[in-house]
Amino acid sequence: MIDLPGWVGYALAGATCAAGVVLLTATGRRLVLASLGMAFVGCAALLIGKLPLAVSLAMVASGAAVSGILLLSTSASAWPWDPGGEGALPQGRTFRLVLSAFVLVAVLGLARRISIPGTAGGQPVFLTGLALIGLGALQLGLSERSLRVCVGLLTSLAGFETLYIVLEPSLAIVALLGSVHVVIALVASYLLLVVRPTPPGGRAA
C-alpha cells in the first residue's frame, strides 16, 4: 500500500472541508457539482495507504456516479439551486460562511480528542468525516429546495462513510453505501423532473 506523508493527509482534509463549505455557499452549477465530486475524491484519497486501494476506488466511483446523475438531470438554463424567496430560511452567503466556521471550529476541537486504537483512521480522517457530516447537516437545515437537501444528505453520508469504513474496512460496505448514494441521486433526479414543469420547447430542470 502507498503510505501518504502526514502533511498530505492534512492538506487533503483541508481541501475536502473546503469543498464542503463551497457546497454550502456556492450557487453555480459546475462549481457545486465539481465540489461534490471533490468531497468524495478527497475522502477516498485520505484512505489511501490505510485501506486496500479497491476501497478508495469504489468511493471515487460512487462519487462520480452521483455527480454524473445530477449533471444529467439538471441544465444550466434551469439550475434549481437558487435560495428561497422572502420569508424563507436565511440564505445569505455571509450567514452560511459564519455557520460553516462555527461547525469547523467545533469539529477541529472534537477531532483532536478522538483516538480509536486498532483502526486505520487518523486525525485528518476524523476531521474530514465529522466536518462533512456537520456541513451536510447544516445544508439540510438551511435548505428548502429538493436538490440542496439531496446534496446536503449526500455530503453527510460521505462523511459518515469515511468514518465508518475505518471501523469496518470492507469493499462490500463501500458498495452498499455507494448504492445508497446513487439511489438518493436518482430520487433527487426524479423529483426535479416531476416537481419542476417542463418549459415549452425546453428541457426539464
Side-chain angles (χ1 to χ4, degrees):
M1 295 183 184
I2 304 172
D3 191 12
L4 298 177
W7 67 269
V8 174
Y10 284 103
L12 288 172
T16 308
C17 292
V21 174
V22 170
L23 285 172
L24 189 64
T25 58
T27 57
R29 176 171 174 257
R30 293 182 179 178
L31 184 56
V32 169
L33 295 179
S35 298
L36 181 61
M38 174 59 198
F40 280 93
V41 171
C43 291
L46 278 170
L47 299 176
I48 293 177
K50 298 178 175 64
L51 298 176
L53 185 59
V55 172
S56 296
L57 293 178
M59 293 178 67
V60 172
S62 65
V66 165
S67 299
I69 290 170
L70 295 181
L71 178 65
L72 293 174
S73 60
T74 58
S75 63
S77 60
W79 171 236
W81 190 262
D82 294 334
E86 185 177 355
L89 294 172
Q91 301 294 338
R93 181 173 299 175
T94 302
F95 176 76
R96 289 171 177 259
L97 283 173
V98 171
L99 288 184
S100 299
F102 280 126
V103 169
L104 293 178
V105 169
V107 165
L108 183 61
L110 181 60
R112 294 175 60 183
R113 294 179 171 85
I114 295 179
S115 178
I116 305 178
T119 64
Q123 282 192 359
V125 175
F126 294 129
L127 173 62
T128 301
L130 292 173
L132 290 182
I133 291 174
L135 293 171
L138 197 58
Q139 180 85 278
L140 285 169
L142 295 176
S143 301
E144 294 181 328
R145 294 186 179 273
S146 59
L147 183 58
R148 278 185 177 268
V149 172
C150 166
V151 170
L153 186 56
L154 289 171
T155 305
S156 291
L157 284 176
F160 170 78
E161 181 181 21
T162 304
L163 295 178
Y164 187 78
I165 201 64
V166 298
L167 301 177
E168 188 65 34
S170 169
L171 185 59
I173 295 296
V174 175
L176 176 62
L177 294 175
S179 66
V180 173
H181 296 151
V182 171
V183 168
I184 292 174
L186 289 174
V187 170
S189 176
Y190 173 77
L191 290 176
L192 290 174
L193 294 173
V194 170
V195 175
R196 291 181 62 87
T198 304
R203 293 175 55 191

